[in-house]
Amino acid sequence: MNSTSNVASPEVITPQPQNSSGANWSLWRRQLAGVVRLELRKNILSRRMLPLLLLAVLPVVWMAIISVAPLSEADRLKIEPNPAFAFVFRVYYLKIAIFLSCLVAFVQLFRGDILDRSLHYYLLCPVRREIFVAAKYLVGSLSSSLVMAASVAATYLVVHLSFGSASLGSLVSGLLTYAAIAVLGCLGYGAVFMLMGLFFKNPVLPAIGLFLLELANPFLHPLIKKISIIHYLISLLPHHVSVGAFEILASKTSPFISVPSLLVVIAATVWLASWRLRQMEITYSDD
């Protein structure tokens, strides 16, 4: 018998493919969480939050003063809580508070680091620019959304508990609806202002232009209305209120179109901000 027949054939060991995508996702999540924690400590307790808190407190105090004003029973009964709050939400929150709070919270996300000459420390870290931008955006969204949603909820409760007797179910439903619209507005305006902070050395001028465009939205042609963020937010309001005799009426956009449209714009804007950050060369001397 051939002796070689007793020798077992060598086992071929094939290398096992590594799950690189799973490892990458785990690494990106840890990096994202690390940058978010760092940015929260730097921004939440900073002086940048003071304008947001002031914008949030004003309507609550204002409506609380009105609620305790010495009105006659007939005058008090004339105040309908749903139209009254809808008017406050559209005129104050959508046109002023949410816009300005996002301007304060998001424009300085990158411009602040450039002015402080600290942005290069982030860019030298082995972190993808997309993760860095997403972390910055999350921090700005958390700070502005939480403050504005809390303000909307407090004002809504003051108005309805002072001038109405709605059931608990309708009270909670309306509160959640308005708070969700406020959060969506913060996400939309925040993405735009973050992008402005990356493209413009002085974002105030384009922000003023955007503010005037959003302010004039009720009086624009229906087709031009649809290029503004506030048009889609107004379409989500449960109660429509007119803001002027010369308002040009346009058909409301369905929520099934408004919400996905805003989310697509947000995603595209954040991606564009990531692209812009990859192309940037930090030259502090120019600032």
Side-chain angles (χ1 to χ4, degrees), residues 8-9 33 43 94 105 121-122 134 143 153 172 186 221 239-240 260 280:
S9 59
N43 289 281
L94 291 187
Y121 293 116
Y122 284 106
S143 59
V172 173
C186 291
H221 189 274
H239 297 278
H240 174 75
M280 283 184 65

Side-chain angles (χ1 to χ4, degrees), residues 80-206:
E80 298 182 15
N82 286 328
F85 181 80
F87 181 82
V88 172
F89 186 85
R90 177 167 178 177
V91 173
Y92 179 76
Y93 281 104
L94 291 187
K95 290 183 176 293
I96 300 175
I98 293 176
F99 188 95
L100 294 181
S101 66
C102 291
L103 177 63
V104 173
F106 284 88
V107 163
Q108 293 300 319
L109 287 178
F110 289 99
R111 293 304 305 170
D113 289 339
I114 293 175
L115 295 176
D116 295 339
R117 300 177 183 270
S118 60
L119 183 60
H120 65 283
Y121 293 116
Y122 284 106
L123 302 184
L124 290 173
C125 296
V127 179
R128 291 177 64 91
R129 302 293 171 88
E130 293 84 354
I131 294 176
F132 183 41
V133 171
K136 287 272 194 180
Y137 179 71
L138 283 175
V139 170
S141 300
L142 284 173
S143 59
S144 59
S145 298
L146 289 177
V147 172
M148 284 295 107
S151 174
V152 167
T155 306
Y156 185 87
L157 290 176
V158 169
V159 172
H160 281 75
L161 294 180
S162 301
F163 302 104
S165 57
S167 64
L168 180 62
S170 61
L171 195 68
V172 173
S173 175
L175 188 151
L176 293 178
T177 300
Y178 282 108
I181 296 173
V183 171
L184 194 60
C186 291
L187 296 178
Y189 285 122
V192 174
F193 286 131
M194 183 178 69
L195 191 64
M196 285 184 182
L198 284 170
F199 273 92
F200 300 99
K201 293 182 179 179
N202 184 8
V204 175
L205 294 179

Side-chain angles (χ1 to χ4, degrees), residues 39-55 100-101 103-106 108 112 115-116 143 147:
E39 287 294 310
L40 283 175
R41 288 196 298 267
K42 185 174 71 173
N43 289 281
I44 293 298
L45 300 178
S46 68
R47 289 179 296 179
R48 299 176 186 175
M49 292 296 296
L50 294 179
L52 273 73
L53 297 176
L54 180 61
L55 289 167
L100 294 181
S101 66
L103 177 63
V104 173
F106 284 88
Q108 293 300 319
L115 295 176
D116 295 339
S143 59
V147 172

